[in-house]
Amino acid sequence: MTYSLQALRAHFPALAQGAAHFDGPGGSQTPTAVADAVHRTLTAAIANRGLVTEAERFADEVTLAARTAMADFVGGDPRGIVFGRSMTQLTFDFARTLAKTWRPGDEVAVSRLDHDSNIRPWVIAAEAAGATVRWIDFDPKSGEVTLDAVEAVLSERTRLVAITAASNLIGTRPPITEISRLAHARGALFYVDGVHYSAHVPVDLAALGADFFACSPYKFLGPHLGVVAAAPETLESLRPDKLLPATDVVPERFELGTLPYELLAGTTAAVDFLAGILPGTGSRRERLLASMAAVEKNEDGLREGLEKELGGLPQVISHSRAASRTPTLLLTFDGHPATAVRDFLADRKINTTVSNYYAIEASRWMGLGDEGGLRVGLAPYNDQNDIDRLTTALRDFFSR
């Protein structure tokens, strides 16, 4: 099934400013429903969580609603939803916690494909524990991660495997389910960066086989926040550093300080909005799966059309080539710096960016250095008019 892009776009006030947004991978635009939820929560009577006053109960309701919403989003358990300031902060916290059990000679596998937030926390933690870091390589030409490349770095000493479900740089979607089987066969835990993936694909925690799945609502129409989803029993087995009077219950033992209730309310609103993209009935989880499948289909159709147009421009080099990938293209240009193309597009109110996007290991591995390239990313609100504006502008740039 498909959804009305015109009707969807009407929910995003930012789009009325006239820009074509291809900057979604860095943070999506926000629908009115999310902003309204944040505003309502900030202006309501609210206090620290409790069950006595109305203000306390409201904070409790907002928190529990957000846990349930994110559990529906990933197909998990509300008792396994941990909130934090960002995915990066949460991953550092989990790395420090897990590393308490590592010993010299233990091994941790990280991927060169990843955003540095799923590399550096593990590298730093491994160094502190005396553990060895093993690197999962990918093919710099195709962008593919093979199971052979993963298996080559695993051993009986592997304690953790960390890899992205989708590259924020080039869109590659590694075979996560199969990688989880390899990791678990060695007795290792499996930490998946789902930040880029979850903005484009229906998430099924059980099918992915992730022990920990990290994501960020601001990538999928919500506010700036980080989330890690895990099984409650997995969280129960971990002892994070915390303040003495702070609760020891799960998942709260992992959340440092008072949560930003307004952002939790915005997260719930974003999940509800996504569930309603495609008209239908059923549970929120069922509607989310249907709506995100429709989003994936629409975005892939736009991407395929865009790639066809770019194929007619010999000056454009696309580095997004994996067979399975998100609607995210990393481009460089023969004879022109990517920054010049970005600036030209910006003058026409076409928003793109140039960077390595913190996937610095991947950018270097592909021979793009620290500069990276120009990223074109699609979001649920992009339409054919955006694609036409981009391709027309690129043709104009190269015909000058």
Side-chain angles (χ1 to χ4, degrees):
M1 295 180 67
T2 60
Y3 55 93
S4 168
L5 273 168
Q6 182 179 5
L8 181 81
R9 288 171 62 87
H11 290 277
F12 293 82
L15 300 184
Q17 297 179 27
H21 285 273
F22 293 101
D23 48 5
S28 61
Q29 301 305 305
T30 306
T32 301
V34 171
D36 287 348
V38 172
H39 177 266
R40 282 195 306 272
T41 306
L42 281 172
T43 55
I46 196 165
N48 286 329
R49 291 177 65 188
L51 300 175
V52 179
T53 70
E54 184 178 358
E56 291 173 344
R57 291 195 300 272
F58 181 56
D60 196 59
E61 291 166 3
V62 166
T63 304
L64 296 178
R67 292 203 203 283
T68 302
M70 282 306 306
D72 285 346
F73 184 76
V74 302
D77 187 320
R79 297 171 300 148
I81 300 297
V82 179
F83 290 108
R85 186 179 67 81
S86 66
M87 179 270 185
T88 300
Q89 173 249 305
L90 285 171
T91 304
F92 266 112
D93 289 346
F94 274 94
R96 284 190 291 266
T97 299
L98 289 168
K100 292 179 180 182
T101 66
W102 299 345
R103 299 292 179 264
D106 287 345
E107 298 177 354
V108 177
V110 297
S111 159
R112 295 192 194 277
L113 186 66
D114 277 64
H115 187 287
D116 212 51
S117 61
N118 202 32
I119 295 176
R120 215 55 49 188
W122 306 113
V123 170
I124 293 170
E127 290 174 347
T132 301
V133 175
R134 304 290 302 273
W135 290 88
I136 301 169
D137 293 335
F138 68 97
D139 186 324
K141 298 298 183 183
S142 69
E144 300 279 11
V145 177
T146 66
L147 294 178
D148 286 344
V150 176
E151 195 157 24
V153 304
L154 301 184
S155 75
E156 298 308 313
R157 297 304 302 269
T158 305
R159 296 294 173 257
L160 178 117
V161 177
I163 193 169
T164 185
S167 165
N168 72 305
L169 185 70
I170 55 175
T172 297
R173 291 170 51 181
I176 292 298
T177 300
E178 291 80 3
I179 294 173
S180 76
R181 295 192 186 109
L182 294 178
H184 291 148
R186 302 307 198 285
L189 290 170
F190 190 40
Y191 194 100
V192 175
D193 172 5
V195 172
H196 186 66
Y197 177 91
S198 57
H200 305 288
V201 182
V203 180
D204 187 335
L205 199 58
L208 292 172
D211 296 298
F212 306 93
F213 182 88
C215 61
S216 300
Y218 79 100
K219 304 291 187 176
F220 49 86
L221 315 184
H224 285 255
L225 202 63
V227 178
V228 167
E233 53 270 26
T234 299
L235 297 181
E236 288 282 3
S237 70
L238 304 178
R239 310 303 305 180
D241 296 330
K242 69 174 192 67
L243 302 182
L244 180 62
T247 180
D248 198 40
V249 302
V250 165
E252 283 87 348
R253 74 168 65 152
F254 295 89
E255 295 168 339
L256 308 182
T258 302
L259 291 171
Y261 300 123
E262 68 279 6
L263 303 185
L264 298 184
T267 296
T268 300
V271 172
D272 284 336
F273 184 88
L274 288 169
I277 284 180
L278 200 65
T281 59
S283 69
R284 180 166 56 189
R285 173 64 179 167
E286 291 168 338
R287 290 181 288 114
L288 277 164
L289 291 174
S291 289
M292 290 306 296
V295 166
E296 182 181 14
K297 181 178 179 180
N298 178 68
E299 290 179 342
D300 282 346
L302 291 173
R303 172 184 60 80
E304 290 165 5
L306 173 59
E307 288 176 324
K308 184 176 180 180
E309 292 289 335
L310 295 179
L313 296 172
Q315 303 92 335
V316 178
I317 304 165
S318 176
H319 301 274
S320 299
R321 300 165 183 159
S324 177
R325 51 197 162 90
T326 62
T328 308
L329 304 181
L330 185 73
L331 309 176
T332 55
F333 307 93
D334 188 15
H336 301 274
T339 52
V341 179
R342 175 204 61 197
D343 294 348
F344 183 85
L345 294 174
D347 287 341
R348 296 195 174 195
K349 298 195 74 172
I350 301 170
N351 294 4
T352 61
T353 50
V354 173
S355 178
N356 60 53
Y357 306 99
Y358 278 70
I360 193 166
E361 297 286 353
S363 185
R364 291 173 176 175
W365 189 249
M366 295 168 66
L368 300 176
D370 293 358
E371 292 74 23
L374 182 143
R375 185 173 64 182
V376 173
L378 300 180
Y381 44 73
N382 284 116
D383 61 9
Q384 186 59 47
N385 180 62
D386 291 336
I387 302 296
D388 294 342
R389 287 175 64 180
L390 174 62
T391 54
T392 296
L394 287 173
R395 283 193 291 268
D396 290 347
F397 178 86
F398 293 116
S399 65
R400 293 182 303 171

